[in-house]
């Protein structure tokens, strides 16, 4: 599996509860916070769900 860096670029304020929970599950919560994770099918699905709030870089 490839590693990716996920960076939160937009705020979670006034977003649906499911999107907020997805961001917390990814380990995000503040703008410019980043995490490095393995790109599994589960992570890819979460990234697709909140792609308008994050930036993804391959490592």
């Amino acid at each position: 599996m490839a590693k990716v860096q996920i960076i939160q670029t937009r705020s979670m304020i006034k977003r649906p509860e499911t999107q907020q929970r997805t961001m917390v599950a990814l380990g995000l919560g503040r703008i410019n916070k980043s995490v490095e994770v393995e790109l599994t099918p589960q992570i890819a699905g979460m990234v697709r769900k909140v792609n308008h709030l994050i930036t993804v870089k391959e490592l």
Side-chain angles (χ1 to χ4, degrees):
M1 295 286 163
K3 281 199 102 154
V4 293
Q5 181 181 33
I6 304 172
I7 305 165
Q8 182 175 347
T9 55
R10 298 195 60 199
S11 174
M12 295 191 310
I13 295 173
K14 292 197 175 182
R15 300 294 172 186
E17 182 70 25
T18 56
Q19 290 179 10
Q20 291 183 19
R21 289 183 180 187
T22 301
M23 294 291 279
V24 171
L26 285 170
L28 302 171
R30 294 189 314 274
I31 295 177
N32 291 328
K33 186 170 181 180
S34 65
V35 293
E36 292 181 10
V37 293
E38 295 286 333
L39 189 60
T40 62
Q42 294 85 3
I43 296 293
M46 290 195 281
V47 165
R48 223 176 3 258
K49 191 171 183 180
V50 293
N51 66 350
H52 56 289
L53 302 175
I54 60 175
T55 301
V56 181
K57 294 182 183 176
E58 289 191 32
L59 299 178

